[in-house]
Amino acid sequence: VGLTAASKTVEVRARVQGFIESREFSDGAWVEEGATLFKIDRQPFAADREIAAAQLAQAETRLQLARQELARLQSVSAPGAVAAADIDQRAAEAANAAASVRLAKAQLEKAGLNLGYTNITAPLTGYVGKALREVGSFEDTQNSLLAVMEQVDPLYVSFKVTESDFLAWKRDLRNGTMVLGEGAAAPSVEITLLDGTPFESPGVLDFENTGLDIKTGTVELRATFPNTDRLLKPGQFVKARLKGWERPGT
């Protein structure tokens, strides 16, 4: 007996705090990666970006002035007309101004990132669950979970085998009494739905848990199935059958 599960489950969270202005999806909808899910009030972040841009302009002006003053002192050719300490001071001021420009650029970039975070998009293609926050709610870093998304194509099917069956399987592989069929890169898995309908597309066995479940004495195996028609949903019980093995000479 197997259990279906999403191949990816992602929590959609806000990265900046603010009031939710809109919700752009219906609960349980299928959404494409990159589609807008929520929008947070962007006005405060747009203002922060304008402030950062103005601070960068000021820093660049100070840098230009500092470099001009340094160049003037360095251009004086008369010996002793300019003290070396004055040139050093102007050089230090120019270096400080250059550092201020780098800082202002970083602040402008951060402000731009925060502004972009007000548009919360789908991190994957799949189903989005119920909205956990509604329009008008205030989002902060302590309560940032907005929804949960699941990718169901491909879909996982997990099932467990007893320790004795697992050991017998590995022993047969080691002894060569059981091998993969010709041309098979990995064993395939076929599943039957709860109503007895076979699922059309076979899956590929691609995961074997590293440890034994000491409570049940079983080893978990997992197969990956294409689910382009989205017939399967996470949490369904299915019957799994492992195929692709052959016993030479029998």
Side-chain angles (χ1 to χ4, degrees), residues 3 21 35-36 38 61 74 89-90 101-102 104 125 152 166 208 212 224 238-239:
L3 182 66
E21 280 193 333
T36 298
F38 294 91
T61 300
Q74 290 175 334
Q89 182 178 355
R90 291 295 184 269
V101 169
R102 292 197 300 271
T125 297
V152 298
F166 180 79
E208 173 187 312
L212 182 78
T224 301
V238 296
K239 290 183 179 179

Short mmCIF file of all heavy atoms in Angstrom, two decimals, residues 3 21 35-36 38 61 74 89-90 101-102 104 125 152 166 208 212 224 238-239:
data_model
loop_
_atom_site.label_atom_id
_atom_site.label_comp_id
_atom_site.label_asym_id
_atom_site.label_seq_id
_atom_site.Cartn_x
_atom_site.Cartn_y
_atom_site.Cartn_z
N LEU A 3 1.26 5.69 -0.47
CA LEU A 3 0.62 6.97 -0.15
C LEU A 3 1.23 8.03 -1.04
O LEU A 3 2.46 8.18 -1.11
CB LEU A 3 0.82 7.32 1.32
CG LEU A 3 0.16 8.61 1.81
CD1 LEU A 3 -1.35 8.48 1.76
CD2 LEU A 3 0.61 8.95 3.22
N GLU A 21 -2.72 44.37 0.48
CA GLU A 21 -3.62 45.15 -0.35
C GLU A 21 -4.55 44.29 -1.18
O GLU A 21 -5.70 44.65 -1.42
CB GLU A 21 -2.83 46.08 -1.28
CG GLU A 21 -2.32 47.34 -0.62
CD GLU A 21 -1.82 48.34 -1.64
OE1 GLU A 21 -1.41 47.92 -2.74
OE2 GLU A 21 -1.86 49.55 -1.33
N ALA A 35 3.36 33.62 -10.84
CA ALA A 35 2.09 34.35 -10.78
C ALA A 35 1.97 35.09 -9.44
O ALA A 35 2.40 34.59 -8.40
CB ALA A 35 0.92 33.39 -10.96
N THR A 36 1.36 36.25 -9.47
CA THR A 36 1.20 37.04 -8.25
C THR A 36 0.16 36.40 -7.35
O THR A 36 -0.95 36.06 -7.79
CB THR A 36 0.78 38.48 -8.59
OG1 THR A 36 1.81 39.09 -9.37
CG2 THR A 36 0.57 39.30 -7.32
N PHE A 38 -0.10 37.59 -3.64
CA PHE A 38 -0.50 38.67 -2.74
C PHE A 38 0.25 39.95 -3.12
O PHE A 38 1.33 39.89 -3.71
CB PHE A 38 -0.15 38.34 -1.27
CG PHE A 38 -0.91 37.18 -0.68
CD1 PHE A 38 -0.41 35.89 -0.77
CD2 PHE A 38 -2.12 37.39 -0.03
CE1 PHE A 38 -1.09 34.83 -0.21
CE2 PHE A 38 -2.81 36.33 0.52
CZ PHE A 38 -2.30 35.05 0.43
N THR A 61 27.85 63.63 -5.23
CA THR A 61 28.27 65.04 -5.32
C THR A 61 29.44 65.32 -4.38
O THR A 61 30.41 66.00 -4.74
CB THR A 61 27.09 65.96 -4.98
OG1 THR A 61 26.02 65.72 -5.91
CG2 THR A 61 27.49 67.43 -5.06
N GLN A 74 47.13 68.68 -5.44
CA GLN A 74 48.19 67.89 -6.06
C GLN A 74 48.79 68.59 -7.29
O GLN A 74 49.91 68.27 -7.71
CB GLN A 74 47.66 66.51 -6.46
CG GLN A 74 47.35 65.61 -5.26
CD GLN A 74 46.71 64.29 -5.67
OE1 GLN A 74 46.06 64.21 -6.71
NE2 GLN A 74 46.87 63.27 -4.84
N GLN A 89 45.00 64.77 4.10
CA GLN A 89 43.64 64.97 4.61
C GLN A 89 42.62 64.95 3.47
O GLN A 89 41.57 64.32 3.59
CB GLN A 89 43.55 66.31 5.36
CG GLN A 89 42.16 66.56 5.96
CD GLN A 89 42.09 67.86 6.74
OE1 GLN A 89 43.10 68.54 6.92
NE2 GLN A 89 40.90 68.20 7.19
N ARG A 90 42.95 65.63 2.35
CA ARG A 90 42.03 65.64 1.22
C ARG A 90 41.91 64.24 0.61
O ARG A 90 40.83 63.84 0.17
CB ARG A 90 42.54 66.63 0.16
CG ARG A 90 42.47 68.09 0.59
CD ARG A 90 41.02 68.54 0.78
NE ARG A 90 40.95 69.95 1.10
CZ ARG A 90 40.96 70.45 2.32
NH1 ARG A 90 41.09 69.63 3.36
NH2 ARG A 90 40.87 71.76 2.52
N VAL A 101 29.56 56.62 -1.14
CA VAL A 101 28.86 56.29 -2.39
C VAL A 101 28.53 54.80 -2.44
O VAL A 101 27.41 54.41 -2.81
CB VAL A 101 29.70 56.72 -3.60
CG1 VAL A 101 29.11 56.15 -4.90
CG2 VAL A 101 29.78 58.24 -3.69
N ARG A 102 29.49 53.96 -2.08
CA ARG A 102 29.24 52.51 -2.08
C ARG A 102 28.11 52.16 -1.11
O ARG A 102 27.24 51.33 -1.42
CB ARG A 102 30.51 51.75 -1.72
CG ARG A 102 31.61 51.85 -2.79
CD ARG A 102 32.66 50.77 -2.59
NE ARG A 102 33.31 50.88 -1.29
CZ ARG A 102 34.39 51.62 -1.06
NH1 ARG A 102 34.93 52.34 -2.03
NH2 ARG A 102 34.94 51.65 0.14
N ALA A 104 25.68 54.15 -0.11
CA ALA A 104 24.41 54.65 -0.63
C ALA A 104 23.88 53.75 -1.75
O ALA A 104 22.67 53.52 -1.86
CB ALA A 104 24.60 56.09 -1.14
N THR A 125 5.03 25.87 -9.77
CA THR A 125 3.76 25.59 -10.45
C THR A 125 3.06 24.46 -9.70
O THR A 125 3.62 23.37 -9.54
CB THR A 125 4.01 25.18 -11.91
OG1 THR A 125 4.61 26.28 -12.61
CG2 THR A 125 2.70 24.83 -12.59
N VAL A 152 2.50 18.94 -7.69
CA VAL A 152 1.97 17.58 -7.83
C VAL A 152 2.36 16.93 -9.15
O VAL A 152 1.90 15.82 -9.45
CB VAL A 152 0.44 17.58 -7.68
CG1 VAL A 152 0.05 18.06 -6.29
CG2 VAL A 152 -0.22 18.43 -8.75
N PHE A 166 13.03 -6.78 2.57
CA PHE A 166 14.10 -5.90 2.12
C PHE A 166 15.43 -6.66 2.09
O PHE A 166 16.19 -6.55 1.13
CB PHE A 166 14.19 -4.69 3.06
CG PHE A 166 15.26 -3.71 2.70
CD1 PHE A 166 15.08 -2.80 1.67
CD2 PHE A 166 16.47 -3.70 3.39
CE1 PHE A 166 16.08 -1.90 1.33
CE2 PHE A 166 17.47 -2.80 3.06
CZ PHE A 166 17.27 -1.90 2.02
N GLU A 208 15.40 5.30 -1.53
CA GLU A 208 15.37 4.27 -0.50
C GLU A 208 15.82 4.94 0.79
O GLU A 208 16.92 5.49 0.84
CB GLU A 208 16.29 3.12 -0.88
CG GLU A 208 16.48 2.07 0.18
CD GLU A 208 17.54 1.06 -0.26
OE1 GLU A 208 17.47 0.56 -1.40
OE2 GLU A 208 18.45 0.80 0.56
N LEU A 212 15.96 2.21 9.02
CA LEU A 212 14.81 1.35 9.26
C LEU A 212 13.91 2.00 10.30
O LEU A 212 14.38 2.56 11.29
CB LEU A 212 15.29 -0.02 9.76
CG LEU A 212 14.23 -1.08 10.02
CD1 LEU A 212 13.76 -1.69 8.70
CD2 LEU A 212 14.80 -2.18 10.92
N THR A 224 8.65 8.05 -8.23
CA THR A 224 8.21 9.33 -8.79
C THR A 224 7.37 9.07 -10.03
O THR A 224 7.79 8.32 -10.92
CB THR A 224 9.42 10.21 -9.16
OG1 THR A 224 10.20 10.44 -7.98
CG2 THR A 224 8.98 11.54 -9.72
N VAL A 238 -2.91 4.17 -2.52
CA VAL A 238 -2.87 3.40 -3.76
C VAL A 238 -2.21 2.05 -3.47
O VAL A 238 -1.57 1.87 -2.44
CB VAL A 238 -2.06 4.14 -4.86
CG1 VAL A 238 -2.74 5.46 -5.24
CG2 VAL A 238 -0.63 4.41 -4.40
N LYS A 239 -2.39 1.13 -4.41
CA LYS A 239 -1.68 -0.15 -4.34
C LYS A 239 -0.50 -0.08 -5.29
O LYS A 239 -0.67 0.21 -6.48
CB LYS A 239 -2.61 -1.29 -4.70
CG LYS A 239 -3.69 -1.55 -3.65
CD LYS A 239 -4.54 -2.75 -4.03
CE LYS A 239 -5.60 -3.03 -2.97
NZ LYS A 239 -6.45 -4.19 -3.34
#
